[in-house]
Amino acid sequence: MTAHALSPQAREFIEGDHHLLIGGEWVRGRGADIPIENPASETVLTTIRAASTEQLDHAVAAARAALNGLWGRMNVRDRGLLLNRFSALIERDAGIIAEIMTAELGQTLASSRGVAGSLSPALFRYYAGWTDKITGEAFDPIVGADVQQFMGLTIREPIGVVGAIIPWNASPGMMGLKLAPSLAAGCAVVLKPAELAPLCASYFARLWQEAGGPPGSLNVVHGHGATIGAAMASHDGIDKITFTGSTAVGKAIVVAAAGNLKKVTLELGGKSPFIVFPDVDVEAVARTAASWCFVASGQACIAATRVFVHADIHDRFVEALGNHTRNLIVGDPTEPSTNLGPLVSAAQKQRVAGYIASAKAEGARMVCGDEPVPAVGHYVRPAVFTEVDPAMRIAREEIFGPVMSVIRFDDEQRMLDTVNDTPFGLSGSVWTRDLERALRVARRIDAGQIGVNVHGPMSPQTPFGGNKQSGWGREFARNGLEEFLKIKAITIRIGDRP
Ligand code: ADP
């Protein structure tokens, strides 16, 4: 995409200043310069300035001051109204945000519009509704012999200062997942977007100001993961980290968080199974498998990267998959006809190329994926492999690129053993008209959410998160809110004083 394809509003924003938002003030970053590339054109869109670690300290202090000040005192109705105003502003500017997202990330404009105009504002609206429904309980504690002597209460309080560290993919959606529940809970937030694609976060910071967010309630700092991200994870002034990204970084955050035992929620990698039984419409389900494996050019944690196909339909399925995938259009993400935009960076493209080479070397059969790609831009053709042994690297590791492993099965139990023989446990789906079989299989997959004849449905009401090394905790739904609340128990003597 050339800069000319951008609307004047998006271009003006991208080329403007991307200061840090600290305590309600725009502050010039004093850290490193970070050039932001358009992965489709390989040109530099703009350069942002990272925060220094001292500026991170200021942001954390501003968040703490907000909790003790205006933001902490705001009543729950006004907090909900603020989140609703913010949601409306995201909706108002969804077209601009989608353009920015496509420019910095390379994802097709159509899917950027879905994230910016639908998922993200829906999350803010959903959590706006929770602000005045955060309640505790009353109960009869047994203290000593006489139950009548005491009354117990619980109240739910904001967990405190939250550090939100998000990845480059679908950042308006990631902000919905991190900011909406934490702000609804009454926490104050320091947000660090990914250094590869920080511009949507910069835009959200501006909208939070416009919505009337009190100073320090939301602070936005830019910077590299190894410096500012790591400093957040180990920061004594941060009470909780909410993170989405790779499993390796998630583990580093857990270690760094041990210093002050801050709470941690993690949404990490996946290797999601897509399990197809013979009683399905083979052509239609093959197309759906492709769309869920190649979503965002495969750069999605829930991507259906392991497709288990029953032997009875395997060959027909693979043929349909190949025919469909060969016709997918890889190219300019601003073109409405494009199915897959580029990968986010040259490094990511190289990584994916390494996996494709490993699959060939290990003896998998490439059904498609060798066709040429545009010379400029980090493009990769969607690749389908069959004859994949579950022990191969492409079947075991998270690739974050458009590479599908098709694994043949005939025995349900052995298939399930293979499905679960992975360190990941994020998501998955089962495709069959036989409801008993669907539920039996769904129950036995070790993952946080399973679709039956649907893959990766994202709704604000549906809890989402990973088992095993795919994460800690849940996002979306009431569960997502609870991650930002702490319970205080109060016991009141109501009988005779001692
Ligand atoms: P991805 O593979 O999606 O880029 P990463 O896990 O590498 O995921 O990065 C996700 C986010 O984590 C980014 O904002 C990045 O800057 C940040 N990050 C990277 N390394 C660290 C670290 N050691 N500590 C904290 N945050 C980090």
Side-chain angles (χ1 to χ4, degrees):
M1 184 164 95
T2 65
H4 303 293
L6 290 166
S7 66
Q9 294 96 321
R11 185 166 62 234
E12 193 185 318
F13 177 77
I14 289 172
E15 290 169 1
D17 288 327
H18 297 283
H19 289 331
L20 318 174
L21 178 60
I22 299 178
E25 305 284 335
W26 298 107
V27 186
R28 191 175 157 75
R30 287 201 295 266
D33 275 352
I34 306 179
I36 307 302
E37 187 200 43
N38 178 337
S41 63
E42 300 186 40
T43 55
V44 173
L45 282 165
T46 187
T47 298
I48 63 162
R49 294 282 299 264
S52 63
T53 46
E54 200 190 8
Q55 287 177 312
L56 172 64
D57 293 342
H58 295 164
V60 173
R64 183 69 60 194
L67 284 176
N68 295 327
L70 209 57
W71 174 238
R73 288 197 301 272
M74 184 182 268
N75 80 43
V76 292
R77 184 205 52 189
D78 291 344
R79 214 197 283 160
L81 290 172
L82 170 61
L83 284 169
N84 270 322
R85 278 200 302 282
F86 189 54
S87 169
L89 292 176
I90 297 167
E91 250 165 2
R92 181 195 71 190
D93 290 357
I96 302 170
I97 298 166
E99 281 189 85
I100 297 167
M101 182 175 157
T102 290
E104 66 178 347
L105 181 65
Q107 192 165 326
T108 62
L109 204 44
S111 72
S112 295
R113 284 197 187 112
V115 174
S118 176
L119 178 64
S120 184
L123 283 163
F124 283 98
R125 201 175 311 112
Y126 172 81
Y127 281 109
W130 270 115
T131 55
D132 57 2
K133 295 167 196 72
I134 298 169
T135 57
E137 290 172 337
F139 57 97
D140 292 330
I142 303 171
V143 182
D146 187 353
V147 169
Q148 301 296 315
Q149 292 284 322
F150 294 91
M151 175 183 254
L153 296 177
T154 56
I155 54 174
R156 287 188 154 77
E157 300 175 319
I159 212 163
V161 173
V162 169
I165 303 177
I166 59 169
W168 37 265
N169 58 326
S171 64
M174 296 293 167
M175 286 186 279
L177 289 178
K178 309 298 187 205
L179 306 184
S182 54
L183 293 167
C187 297
V189 181
V190 178
L191 167 71
K192 191 202 84 64
E195 56 272 41
L196 279 174
L199 301 178
C200 291
S202 194
Y203 201 93
F204 272 48
R206 190 197 263 200
L207 292 184
W208 184 249
Q209 292 289 86
E210 187 182 340
S217 50
L218 172 64
N219 306 273
V220 179
V221 296
H222 295 296
H224 288 103
T227 50
I228 294 300
M232 286 170 72
S234 63
H235 205 292
D236 282 343
I238 292 181
D239 301 301
K240 158 132 197 167
I241 291 282
T242 173
F243 169 78
T244 295
S246 60
T247 295
V249 171
K251 290 180 183 178
I253 286 174
V254 168
V255 172
N260 69 340
L261 285 179
K262 59 173 66 63
K263 311 299 176 269
V264 179
T265 299
L266 304 170
E267 201 269 275
L268 308 175
K271 197 74 193 168
S272 297
F274 185 107
I275 301 164
V276 191
F277 285 95
D279 60 336
V280 297
D281 176 342
V282 171
E283 305 266 332
V285 175
R287 282 197 301 276
T288 307
S291 69
W292 279 106
C293 183
F294 306 137
V295 57
S297 299
Q299 301 168 119
C301 53
I302 54 165
T305 47
R306 292 187 299 155
V307 177
F308 292 83
V309 183
H310 194 277
D312 288 355
I313 53 163
H314 177 272
D315 294 354
R316 265 199 305 139
F317 189 92
V318 168
E319 195 187 340
L321 198 54
N323 292 340
H324 173 73
T325 305
R326 266 180 230 105
N327 288 325
L328 292 176
I329 297 173
V330 175
D332 183 343
T334 64
E335 282 289 339
S337 57
T338 296
N339 300 111
L340 283 84
L343 299 191
V344 70
S345 65
Q348 192 64 17
K349 177 173 172 166
Q350 203 179 353
R351 224 173 83 86
V352 174
Y355 278 107
I356 291 176
S358 84
K360 291 177 179 169
E362 287 182 276
R365 184 172 82 78
M366 192 179 210
V367 176
C368 58
D370 260 346
E371 306 84 1
V373 290
V376 175
H378 309 307
Y379 294 101
V380 175
R381 282 290 320 171
V384 174
F385 284 94
T386 57
E387 313 306 327
V388 175
D389 187 287
M392 290 178 187
R393 279 184 63 208
I394 55 161
R396 299 201 67 77
E397 298 176 20
E398 185 178 50
I399 300 175
F400 238 59
V403 182
M404 182 192 289
S405 298
V406 179
I407 301 168
R408 185 197 304 257
F409 77 93
D410 50 22
D411 179 81
E412 186 179 301
Q413 181 54 48
R414 277 209 300 275
M415 176 271 292
L416 281 165
D417 290 344
T418 310
V419 162
N420 288 329
D421 180 21
T422 163
F424 298 113
L426 189 59
S427 197
S429 58
V430 190
W431 297 78
T432 176
R433 293 195 176 113
D434 177 343
L435 193 58
E436 283 172 29
R437 173 160 66 190
L439 294 178
R440 184 171 69 233
V441 170
R443 284 183 77 141
R444 301 197 51 204
I445 300 172
D446 191 355
Q449 50 283 315
I450 307 294
V452 174
N453 298 321
V454 60
H455 189 89
M458 294 265 164
S459 88
Q461 297 80 8
T462 310
F464 179 87
N467 296 352
K468 298 194 273 185
Q469 294 187 33
S470 286
W472 276 357
R474 291 292 180 265
E475 298 189 302
F476 289 90
R478 183 178 189 150
N479 311 71
L481 182 77
E482 297 286 345
E483 302 277 348
F484 297 100
L485 293 167
K486 58 188 175 192
I487 293 176
K488 178 177 285 169
I490 301 176
T491 306
I492 308 152
R493 184 188 292 277
I494 54 175
D496 298 338
R497 303 243 173 104

